[in-house]
Amino acid sequence: MIDAVLERIDADLEASLERLFHLLRIPSISTDPDYADACAEAAVWCQGALAELGFEAEVRPTPGHAMVVAHRADGASDGPHVLFYGHYDVQPVDPVELWHTDPFAPRLATEADGNKVIVARGSADDKGQLLTFVEACRAWIAVTGKLPVPVTVLFEGEEESGSPSLVPFLKANAGELSHDVALICDTGMWDRETPAITGSLRGLVGEEIVVTAANKDLHSGLFGGAARNPNHVLAKILADLHDESGRVTIPGFYDGVPETPAEILRQWEGLNFTAADFLGGVGLKLPAGESDRSVLEQLWARPTAEVNGMIGGYTGAGFKTVIPSKASAKVSFRLVGDQDPEAVRAAFRAFVSARIPADCSVEFHPHGGSPGLRVSLDSPYMARSLEGLSEEWSKPAVVIGGGGSIPIVGHFKDILGMDSLLIGFGHDDDQIHSPNEKYDVASFHKGIRSWARVLAKLAG
Amino acid sequence: MIDAVLERIDADLEASLERLFHLLRIPSISTDPDYADACAEAAVWCQGALAELGFEAEVRPTPGHAMVVAHRADGASDGPHVLFYGHYDVQPVDPVELWHTDPFAPRLATEADGNKVIVARGSADDKGQLLTFVEACRAWIAVTGKLPVPVTVLFEGEEESGSPSLVPFLKANAGELSHDVALICDTGMWDRETPAITGSLRGLVGEEIVVTAANKDLHSGLFGGAARNPNHVLAKILADLHDESGRVTIPGFYDGVPETPAEILRQWEGLNFTAADFLGGVGLKLPAGESDRSVLEQLWARPTAEVNGMIGGYTGAGFKTVIPSKASAKVSFRLVGDQDPEAVRAAFRAFVSARIPADCSVEFHPHGGSPGLRVSLDSPYMARSLEGLSEEWSKPAVVIGGGGSIPIVGHFKDILGMDSLLIGFGHDDDQIHSPNEKYDVASFHKGIRSWARVLAKLAG
């Protein structure tokens, strides 16, 4: 039966791509209120796509962007009921001038090495990925009239903006959403040939800080030398975050950070990963993190502090000799092990406050807060999924760490009592969150085939 | 005769204000290419105003914004020929949301203490100031049919954007512009009651630096901890510019900085200036400069390093977990004594370059470069001007220092061989370069009267 489903997927690829392009044309940037209508449109599009496949599909309002929830439960009653999760919202597109084409005008392109890609904001994160699952369902239904296992789908529209509505929604709908295992498609493969399930992920805490000095912008000639410059105050705070060895200096920051077991470090060494290749791919060569850790450890097992944005004073064309009233920064922390997001937030705030001169002030705006995660490695669903992936890619699938944060895994565990499997088909060079985001056509095509196989394996 | 001229000024005040409002309505922001047409319009307006008074007035093109040059030489042949300088361009208006009304819709307002002001971008810097001179000429011509001394006028349109065309223009037109003394109206009074001539000014060097790390924006989850963040590199550079005592740390920066003579420091102590009042007026209380210097010394006699602008990464609404490819800052230095602008620029570039990791790069964009200045105190024109100012304000005029930079004084000396007198009617609370810039109606009115008196005194 699986062969007929895979054939159907191959034959339908062009139409699958057309459907993806539809979704990619909707500029569903969740963090920017100007795109609220586009987010609503993307939710409706997803609901329609699922309804067309015979799901009972609904757009569910939240105080923010809507959720899409869908059920189709004609699968084998003895197979596990899966909850599939993806997100239809995307990152902002600035600096938009660095995009070679309109971020929301998806196109197929062939890279210098012959690799075929889909270029658009959201192609890899996460519209292309979530559709791999939907298209796999479509093929199963087309060939067999039903799905191999009962499926519930949850699509979120606020993943790129801190998921403010998610926890209340999961709590309010726990009965409807809690099933045997969650499948999440928002991660990557190990490399172009090797499929992977992500076994650990870093958490995330974000803080925006706004430092205020004088009560108005000042002329640097009239006031310079005597009046406090908030750019200087902010630069000092941000510079103080790391010591010379790349270690974060906030007192208590490393509380709860475990040492990675020697055996895991050995496995990672066997992955044929080199810092030179990884950093070289983006034009760098010197690892910037803790100098006594390998790059893979820096990425998968160590917490970080990153200044994601900073601004103060005049930043337009030309020059303006101003001492601004305010300067601000967005700082995020990746967390591992048992680091407590709220403890890290409090420690950071104390660290900042201690560096604010007595006649200046600081405001804090929290953004997100999720701990690091480790996925259970010994479930039968993990084993069956690895098997399905290995068959599709003709290479053993591996369990890897991840540097990014997918807080939903923790929420599914805590609120719905479910384990998650993180299966995705992205690549490090997909430029997610960057200009010219792309998703390999092979990721999309073989991603659909992979899900078709995983669903079959899960049915047993 | 002077009484009739002053009467005429009083009677004509409403019309003078109307003319000023005309000029203020033209958004001549020289640093922003979007406002090039407005700069051209302001030049033509100035030319027209002078031609109407019988000046031979021309708009002279430059590679940047035009100069306005005008002559009227029917004054007493034995009086000095004066060159009057002002600038018709203005600063940008951002953050525009902090303006209470449109920056280019001038209005009269009455402040809480009853003080009447003209609110608009450029009202004090420098359109209101330059028109005080033009209106004084108008009154002299209306009453006597001529000017007390021969007058040449030079209005520039690039003062707020580094004056790139000025030096070549002065060199090419030295014969036409070189006369006995230059009068520059771009400075302030000591306080609301006390007129002043500014005797020393700080120089200015600007540098924009752009730090590049990776060759594209990166996802802070996928790359954070291993990839260099240019925000961190930049923050460290900016934080390193000052030590704990407020002193600039760039090697060689203080070369050529003289100690202020004890007698001058004593004179300044007698000025009844307090740090508490000066800083308290803008919501601050702790002097931020070198901790072993008085605030007046910090402002008038000590060099500074100020970060006028910095930006890197995502600074819009919401959050974006990006490690940007680039971060940049605009840094300016105020210079005093014999500090060499190009030596300071070179020392800063070396300081920055030494802090750029081997796999990152930095670009430098120069902006301006003028040394500090001290005006000759013993010319007869200085004495006569102080006399005219003292009579108008019924209080002895004082010679003060200035924190800002007016590079034109050095250019007039070096290229035209002329001394300058810096006479202006601004106040510290005029909010020049800030939102809600204003110029006191009294500054405008009594400024016109002051120039009428100074011209009479100069004629002898």
Side-chain angles (χ1 to χ4, degrees), chain A residues 10-351:
Chain A
D10 296 348
D12 202 33
L13 179 61
E14 202 162 321
S16 296
L17 281 165
E18 256 174 51
R19 286 184 284 269
L20 173 58
F21 277 32
H22 252 273
L23 181 54
L24 290 173
R25 281 188 200 104
I26 306 171
S28 47
I29 301 170
S30 58
T31 201
D32 188 334
D34 287 351
Y35 293 88
D37 287 352
C39 290
E41 186 188 346
V44 168
W45 189 93
C46 291
Q47 182 270 335
L50 291 162
E52 186 190 313
L53 298 184
F55 280 78
E56 286 169 43
E58 289 181 351
V59 171
R60 301 277 185 87
T62 76
H65 302 301
M67 303 279 177
V68 177
V69 177
H71 305 280
R72 182 162 171 152
D74 50 3
S77 59
D78 55 347
H81 188 141
V82 305
L83 172 68
F84 179 83
Y85 167 88
H87 64 91
Y88 64 77
D89 63 321
V90 301
Q91 281 275 315
V93 297
D94 53 319
V96 72
E97 65 275 14
L98 295 186
W99 286 79
H100 302 138
T101 50
D102 181 344
F104 297 108
R107 63 186 168 93
L108 290 176
T110 304
E111 299 189 318
D113 60 1
N115 191 40
K116 286 197 166 48
V117 298
I118 303 150
V119 180
R121 172 55 88 226
S123 56
D125 183 18
D126 184 49
K127 290 170 173 175
Q129 300 243 62
L130 74 80
L131 265 199
T132 57
F133 186 86
V134 176
E135 292 297 308
C137 291
R138 182 184 301 275
W140 268 108
I141 291 162
V143 173
T144 71
K146 59 181 188 160
L147 290 168
V149 292
V151 172
T152 292
V153 170
L154 172 65
F155 291 156
E156 184 191 1
E158 301 181 329
E159 200 272 347
E160 303 292 5
S161 54
S163 297
S165 309
L166 183 67
V167 166
F169 189 84
L170 293 181
K171 285 182 175 162
N173 299 278
E176 181 182 358
L177 298 171
S178 178
H179 296 288
D180 297 304
V181 65
L183 304 174
I184 299 175
C185 193
D186 200 14
T187 50
M189 297 173 57
W190 169 245
D191 58 27
R192 283 213 152 62
E193 288 76 43
T194 318
I197 296 180
T198 299
S200 65
L201 285 170
R202 293 191 290 192
L204 180 67
V205 165
E207 280 279 297
E208 181 166 2
I209 62 174
V210 183
V211 176
T212 302
N215 55 23
K216 62 177 181 178
D217 286 358
L218 305 174
H219 185 296
S220 76
L222 298 182
F223 286 86
R228 188 74 56 183
N229 186 330
N231 283 336
H232 300 187
V233 176
L234 184 63
K236 181 85 173 74
I237 291 167
L238 301 180
D240 280 356
L241 282 173
H242 297 87
D243 68 15
E244 293 289 311
S245 72
R247 198 174 158 87
V248 177
T249 58
I250 299 169
F253 181 73
Y254 287 94
D255 290 355
V257 176
E259 280 303 316
T260 307
E263 191 197 317
I264 298 279
L265 288 177
R266 259 196 307 279
Q267 281 181 17
W268 289 352
E269 275 165 31
L271 276 176
N272 199 23
F273 169 94
T274 74
D277 287 350
F278 178 73
L279 293 175
V282 295
L284 295 171
K285 58 186 177 197
L286 304 176
E290 293 166 279
S291 52
D292 56 343
R293 309 281 174 176
S294 74
V295 168
L296 220 43
E297 200 182 353
Q298 288 174 2
L299 293 172
W300 288 356
R302 301 297 297 175
T304 66
E306 294 287 346
V307 181
N308 301 122
M310 60 182 194
I311 186 167
Y314 182 69
T315 59
F319 225 88
K320 185 174 168 184
T321 50
V322 66
I323 297 178
S325 169
K326 291 175 191 293
S328 65
K330 298 179 203 275
V331 181
S332 69
F333 302 92
R334 298 283 167 180
L335 308 185
V336 302
D338 294 323
Q339 275 181 300
D340 173 352
E342 292 315 313
V344 166
R345 191 190 306 284
F348 174 65
R349 290 183 176 192
F351 178 93

Side-chain angles (χ1 to χ4, degrees), chain B residues 23-354:
Chain B
L23 180 55
L24 290 173
R25 281 189 199 103
I26 306 171
S28 46
I29 302 170
S30 59
T31 202
D32 188 335
D34 287 353
Y35 293 87
D37 288 352
C39 290
E41 186 186 347
V44 167
W45 189 94
C46 291
Q47 183 271 334
L50 290 162
E52 186 189 312
L53 299 184
F55 280 78
E56 287 168 42
E58 290 180 350
V59 171
R60 302 277 185 87
T62 75
H65 301 302
M67 303 281 176
V68 177
V69 177
H71 305 283
R72 181 159 171 155
D74 52 2
S77 61
D78 57 344
H81 188 141
V82 304
L83 172 69
F84 178 82
Y85 167 88
H87 63 91
Y88 64 76
D89 64 319
V90 300
Q91 281 275 315
V93 297
D94 51 318
V96 73
E97 65 275 13
L98 296 186
W99 286 78
H100 302 137
T101 50
D102 182 343
F104 298 108
R107 62 186 170 95
L108 290 176
T110 304
E111 299 188 319
D113 60 1
N115 190 40
K116 285 196 166 48
V117 298
I118 303 149
V119 180
R121 170 57 85 226
S123 56
D125 183 18
D126 184 45
K127 290 171 173 174
Q129 300 242 62
L130 74 80
L131 266 199
T132 56
F133 186 86
V134 174
E135 293 297 307
C137 292
R138 182 185 300 275
W140 267 108
I141 292 163
V143 173
T144 71
K146 58 181 188 161
L147 290 169
V149 292
V151 172
T152 292
V153 169
L154 172 64
F155 290 156
E156 184 192 0
E158 302 181 328
E159 201 272 346
E160 303 292 5
S161 54
S163 297
S165 310
L166 183 67
V167 167
F169 189 83
L170 293 181
K171 287 183 175 162
N173 299 279
E176 180 183 0
L177 298 172
S178 178
H179 297 288
D180 296 306
V181 65
L183 305 174
I184 300 175
C185 192
D186 200 14
T187 51
M189 296 173 58
W190 169 245
D191 59 26
R192 283 214 153 63
E193 287 77 40
T194 318
I197 297 182
T198 299
S200 65
L201 284 170
R202 293 192 290 192
L204 180 67
V205 165
E207 281 278 298
E208 181 167 1
I209 61 174
V210 183
V211 176
T212 302
N215 55 22
K216 61 177 182 180
D217 286 358
L218 305 175
H219 185 297
S220 76
L222 297 182
F223 286 87
R228 187 74 55 181
N229 186 329
N231 283 336
H232 300 188
V233 176
L234 185 63
K236 180 87 174 71
I237 291 167
L238 302 179
D240 280 356
L241 283 172
H242 297 86
D243 68 14
E244 293 288 313
S245 73
R247 199 174 158 85
V248 176
T249 58
I250 299 169
F253 181 72
Y254 287 94
D255 290 356
V257 176
E259 280 303 316
T260 308
E263 193 197 315
I264 298 278
L265 288 177
R266 261 197 307 278
Q267 280 181 18
W268 290 352
E269 274 165 30
L271 277 176
N272 199 22
F273 170 94
T274 74
D277 287 350
F278 179 73
L279 294 175
V282 295
L284 294 171
K285 57 186 179 196
L286 304 175
E290 294 165 279
S291 51
D292 56 343
R293 310 278 175 177
S294 75
V295 168
L296 220 44
E297 200 181 351
Q298 288 174 1
L299 293 172
W300 288 356
R302 300 298 297 175
T304 66
E306 293 287 347
V307 181
N308 301 121
M310 60 182 194
I311 186 167
Y314 183 69
T315 59
F319 226 89
K320 185 174 166 183
T321 50
V322 66
I323 297 178
S325 168
K326 291 175 192 294
S328 65
K330 297 178 203 276
V331 181
S332 68
F333 303 91
R334 299 283 167 180
L335 308 186
V336 301
D338 295 322
Q339 274 183 301
D340 173 353
E342 293 314 314
V344 166
R345 190 190 305 284
F348 173 65
R349 289 184 176 191
F351 178 92
V352 171
S353 297

